[in-house]
Amino acid sequence: MAIPQSFIQELLSRVDVVDIVGRYVQLKKGGANFMGLCPFHSEKSPSFTVSPSKQFFHCFGCGKNGNAIGFLMEHAGMGFVEAVQELANQCGLQVPQDDVSPAERERQAAQKQKQASLSDLLEKAGEAYCKQLRTAPHAIEYLKKRGVSGEISRRFGLGYAPAGWHGLASVFAEYDNPQLQECGLVIVSEEDGRRYDRFRDRLMFPIRNVKGECIGFGGRVFGDEKPKYLNSPETPVFHKGRELYGLFEARQALRDMGYALVTEGYMDVVALAQLGFANAVATLGTACTPDHVQKLFRFTDAVVFSFDGDGAGRRAARKALDAALPLATDTRSIKFLFLPAEHDPDSFIREFGPEAFSRYVGDATPLSRFLIESASEGCDLGQAEGRAHMASNARPLWSALPDGALKRQLLGEIAALVQLDARDLADIWAQEAARTAPLRSSQATARHAPAAGPGAPWDAVPAPDWDQGWSPAGADGHGSDPGYGHAPQGGQGSGWRGKRFDGSRKPWNRNKAGTADWTAPPRGPRTAPATRIDQAARLLMAHMEFMEELTHEDFDALARCSEGHGGLFHWLEAQFTESGPRPWAVLREQMRGLPCEMLADKLMSGPHAHPEGEIDELRRELRGVLNLILVDHLKRQEEQALKDVATDPTAARRYLEFQARRKNLSAIIGSAS
């Protein structure tokens, strides 16, 4: 069957290639990437890298590379459809079963057009609300009392919905347009069919998606009326379980401050931005969902959930814990901040100041501690029954964590609290999981089950190999690289040390002389060195978020490169404008069949295809490459201006401007080197 390309892109944006590869290859953090011994060829030192930012794997030894789908096809022997189905099952998605018909393509195009139309209507309403705010003294007074400046108000596009029932009739000539109801701006009475504005006499907060498009509104009353906050309904462009208020405005701050602060209200986000915490976002009147958490982790590896200290705040925190657990890898930080019951973030920071709030953030409860607190709530750990109750509460929470060091450490901590040996606790949980979990096919069990002992079902909790433990290199005299002795490795005679999935030993291949056999992979023909244009393209495809920092001059210089590179940069700019930054794995799928596909694939598959280093280092590298490209671009403009002097009176002035700009850039390049 043919699977729509749009579905493949959606799937790759939801899965994490590190998690997929990590089930088959022992990975260790190395800078911004993860490294391990390549599962596709024999090697002693790890040359296999997995990039979380690019959502791509690459081996510098044998050259194998690809996305999560490609890895399952190459390593697990799955077909394309089977690999897609496997990943879709993990994400809870339904794979389309039939080829996309012309009618379906037409429907999808119509849906996209409708979404654009609805966003245009919402944008127009937002502009009208902004104008109304200037003539609403009580709304301005409210913002002043909350300490919100005009600059912050403009940044978030705050507005005012007037008190009348038909305020938008003066904004939209066709007030009976059905799309006004569809996008949530207008309500149609079921009794008499009359139309009226949804938002009236409220402070308006436009809700934007990550591309900056207005997709809905939140409206706050000025007194004690109920509901205090009124949100747009679910529409074709707005799904509150997926969107976060303030995320568009907080993008840069998330990177600068290194973490996201998740709050419960619109006003918290605006007030915190005013007081130096521009990294705050808020859920939209709903509990935190896995989609919320996953979206945040595209921008930062650290999230702090901020809740009131009352019962409602604890309940909201527990829902956030459930949403975050499946995404709590060893490289991510998730914390829970509980303020005094009488405070929200806005009131706390006003009374005690930003420094006190920063200290609270620093002292926030780590996910591991909150998990244990949640599991032990209401349990008397001084009694055997209470400890047993806690163990039962902890099992689903612990099982939701991805396998890793955090999960294994927590098993020991929970076991100590319930006064059981960790092996006994793992056995109890495995038996309980086997009793309650649905049966899976034997094929899926054999392919995916971790080493949990003979006959253990896939749903069972894996019992650690406590007696054998890990088999680090050097313990038996077969090498010196620690930490790679226990990962699965396919193929006979691969030279992998440690254990296979079945627990049997797999020694090094040795020849008659007693030395280890190892043959380096063929290197192939020498390739031409990467050009500046190539390196700029690679950096931008690997880290598309860098596009946001390019100037108009940068884009002009890149667009005027050779036809192939220029077309690639034009396409990247269009994709960034439409969809924001996306991993290379998703970009690769989007460009299939396009003229730029061959060039992009060549650049991202070559010997220098995967720029390594810290983000700031790569950002500086790109700036340096762009400056050199600009110098060459300015030289060509100087030459053209000289040719035009005889016929164009302004050419001499342009020549001097280009020359001055080039010399200035050259001086910057010289000082940097």
Side-chain angles (χ1 to χ4, degrees):
M1 67 179 180
I3 300 174
Q5 200 64 30
S6 59
F7 178 82
I8 301 298
Q9 295 166 17
E10 171 69 8
L11 181 63
L12 290 173
S13 69
R14 292 202 182 197
V15 301
D16 187 348
V17 71
V18 177
D19 292 340
I20 303 304
V21 175
R23 297 175 188 176
Y24 301 87
V25 179
Q26 178 67 31
L27 298 174
K28 295 179 69 175
K29 193 79 164 68
N33 297 328
F34 290 79
M35 299 194 69
L37 293 175
C38 180
F40 303 114
H41 79 283
S42 301
E43 61 178 10
K44 292 182 179 180
S45 299
S47 61
F48 181 81
T49 66
V50 185
S51 169
S53 62
K54 307 180 190 75
Q55 286 296 300
F56 219 64
F57 71 87
H58 180 80
C59 178
F60 293 92
C62 67
K64 289 277 188 182
N65 61 71
N67 54 31
I69 298 172
F71 182 83
L72 290 180
M73 293 173 65
E74 290 282 350
H75 187 266
M78 299 182 186
F80 176 76
V81 174
E82 186 182 9
V84 171
Q85 185 68 61
E86 176 70 20
L87 294 176
N89 289 341
Q90 296 173 27
C91 298
L93 297 177
Q94 181 68 41
V95 179
Q97 296 298 312
D98 301 314
D99 293 348
V100 180
S101 64
E104 173 61 17
R105 282 195 292 269
E106 185 176 340
R107 187 196 68 78
Q108 292 177 359
Q111 183 182 28
K112 188 172 183 179
Q113 180 59 43
K114 175 190 282 189
Q115 291 175 339
S117 299
L118 296 181
S119 290
D120 289 342
L121 292 175
L122 291 163
E123 199 72 49
K124 188 174 181 180
E127 293 172 359
Y129 291 144
C130 284
K131 292 179 182 177
Q132 289 289 341
L133 179 61
R134 302 169 196 162
T135 60
H138 67 299
I140 295 174
E141 184 63 25
Y142 174 84
L143 290 173
K144 287 182 177 179
K145 285 182 179 179
R146 300 297 295 264
V148 178
S149 68
E151 179 184 351
I152 290 294
S153 178
R154 286 189 294 273
R155 177 182 172 192
F156 285 89
L158 303 188
Y160 171 68
W165 289 88
H166 305 102
L168 290 177
S170 63
V171 179
F172 299 101
E174 297 179 356
Y175 189 66
D176 58 351
N177 183 348
Q179 287 193 327
L180 289 176
Q181 179 188 8
E182 193 171 4
C183 69
L185 290 171
V186 166
I187 295 175
V188 178
S189 172
E190 294 182 0
E191 296 179 0
D192 54 16
R194 292 186 178 181
R195 306 169 71 86
Y196 57 93
D197 294 357
R198 178 181 297 274
F199 301 101
R200 303 178 306 280
D201 193 25
R202 288 177 180 266
L203 182 65
M204 299 298 291
F205 299 82
I207 302 165
R208 298 176 174 129
N209 60 21
V210 292
K211 295 185 286 184
E213 300 167 338
C214 184
I215 56 175
F217 290 95
R220 192 196 192 285
V221 296
F222 298 98
D224 296 326
E225 298 94 329
K226 300 296 181 182
K228 182 165 70 171
Y229 281 100
L230 180 65
N231 299 317
S232 288
E234 295 281 314
T235 71
V237 295
F238 177 56
H239 307 281
K240 63 183 179 181
R242 301 180 194 168
E243 303 296 338
L244 288 158
Y245 176 70
L247 181 59
F248 174 74
E249 291 81 3
R251 290 172 305 160
Q252 189 58 48
L254 294 180
R255 302 183 182 104
D256 294 341
M257 301 182 72
Y259 71 97
L261 181 64
V262 183
T263 65
E264 295 185 88
Y266 300 96
M267 205 61 216
D268 286 331
V269 172
V270 175
L272 286 169
Q274 178 74 57
L275 296 168
F277 292 87
N279 58 329
V281 299
T283 53
L284 299 164
T286 185
C288 187
T289 68
D291 282 339
H292 289 146
V293 182
Q294 190 172 50
K295 185 165 285 190
L296 286 171
F297 280 134
R298 294 174 185 170
F299 295 89
T300 178
D301 285 330
V303 175
V304 178
F305 293 100
S306 176
F307 299 100
D308 299 344
D310 56 12
R314 301 289 295 192
R315 289 191 294 273
R318 176 54 197 273
K319 291 178 180 178
L321 173 67
D322 292 337
L325 281 171
L327 301 166
T329 64
D330 293 343
T331 59
R332 291 169 175 168
S333 170
I334 300 171
K335 294 184 177 182
F336 297 83
L337 169 64
F338 296 101
L339 296 171
E342 67 275 14
H343 283 292
D344 59 22
D346 179 23
S347 65
F348 182 92
I349 201 171
R350 290 186 187 286
E351 182 170 343
F352 300 104
E355 294 78 11
F357 187 74
S358 291
R359 287 194 296 272
Y360 257 75
V361 171
D363 295 336
T365 303
L367 175 141
S368 57
R369 182 150 52 107
F370 187 49
L371 183 152
I372 290 175
E373 289 176 2
S374 299
S376 59
E377 186 174 1
C379 302
D380 183 359
L381 299 186
Q383 302 291 331
E385 291 84 355
R387 294 192 293 273
H389 191 186
M390 179 198 170
S392 179
N393 292 343
R395 183 183 72 85
L397 299 175
W398 184 87
S399 299
L401 284 166
D403 192 29
L406 174 63
K407 186 171 187 176
R408 298 187 184 200
Q409 290 179 80
L410 272 173
L411 178 64
E413 289 190 30
I414 296 168
L417 286 170
V418 300
Q419 298 182 18
L420 284 173
D421 184 87
R423 286 175 293 186
D424 293 337
L425 180 61
D427 287 342
I428 292 169
W429 281 353
Q431 292 168 15
E432 187 175 350
R435 286 194 303 270
T436 58
L439 294 176
R440 301 291 179 91
S441 69
S442 58
Q443 181 182 10
T445 299
R447 181 164 57 227
H448 301 297
W458 170 232
D459 283 306
V461 176
D465 187 1
W466 298 99
D467 294 324
Q468 296 297 331
W470 289 60
S471 302
D476 55 3
H478 295 324
S480 58
D481 287 350
Y484 290 97
H486 206 162
Q489 175 82 7
Q492 295 293 330
S494 65
W496 182 265
R497 57 183 173 275
K499 297 182 179 180
R500 306 185 193 188
F501 277 130
D502 61 6
S504 62
R505 301 292 296 182
K506 187 167 184 180
W508 292 96
N509 295 332
R510 293 186 170 272
N511 56 29
K512 293 181 180 180
T515 59
D517 283 330
W518 182 78
T519 304
R523 297 184 179 273
R526 295 175 65 89
T527 56
T531 66
R532 295 167 183 168
I533 303 298
D534 288 343
Q535 190 64 359
R538 284 168 173 159
L539 284 164
L540 290 172
M541 286 188 286
H543 295 279
M544 202 178 179
E545 66 270 19
F546 292 171
M547 298 283 289
E548 193 168 21
E549 303 167 18
L550 267 60
T551 65
H552 291 296
E553 188 180 30
D554 293 332
F555 278 119
D556 183 54
L558 293 174
R560 293 174 184 271
C561 295
S562 64
E563 182 177 350
H565 286 84
L568 174 60
F569 289 124
H570 272 301
W571 184 83
L572 284 173
E573 182 184 9
Q575 291 301 309
F576 180 79
T577 302
E578 180 179 343
S579 306
R582 311 201 76 178
W584 160 243
V586 176
L587 287 177
R588 180 65 189 84
E589 294 300 317
Q590 288 179 306
M591 63 175 59
R592 290 199 183 278
L594 298 179
C596 59
E597 179 188 6
M598 185 176 296
L599 172 61
D601 201 44
K602 176 184 176 183
L603 292 175
M604 296 301 282
S605 302
H608 307 286
H610 299 273
E612 302 297 326
E614 297 297 329
I615 290 296
D616 288 341
E617 178 185 347
L618 294 176
R619 184 178 283 111
R620 288 192 294 271
E621 180 182 352
L622 176 61
R623 184 67 264 164
V625 170
L626 288 173
N627 284 344
L628 291 170
I629 293 172
L630 283 172
V631 167
D632 292 338
H633 178 57
L634 289 166
K635 284 180 180 177
R636 290 192 295 271
Q637 289 181 307
E638 285 179 52
E639 293 169 359
Q640 185 60 47
L642 279 176
K643 294 178 181 177
D644 295 340
V645 167
T647 57
D648 186 353
T650 65
R653 178 178 55 80
R654 292 204 312 275
Y655 170 80
L656 294 175
E657 290 174 351
F658 294 147
Q659 186 182 61
R661 173 68 176 135
R662 177 177 57 80
K663 289 181 177 179
N664 183 49
L665 265 179
S666 298
I668 293 173
I669 294 169
S671 62
S673 60

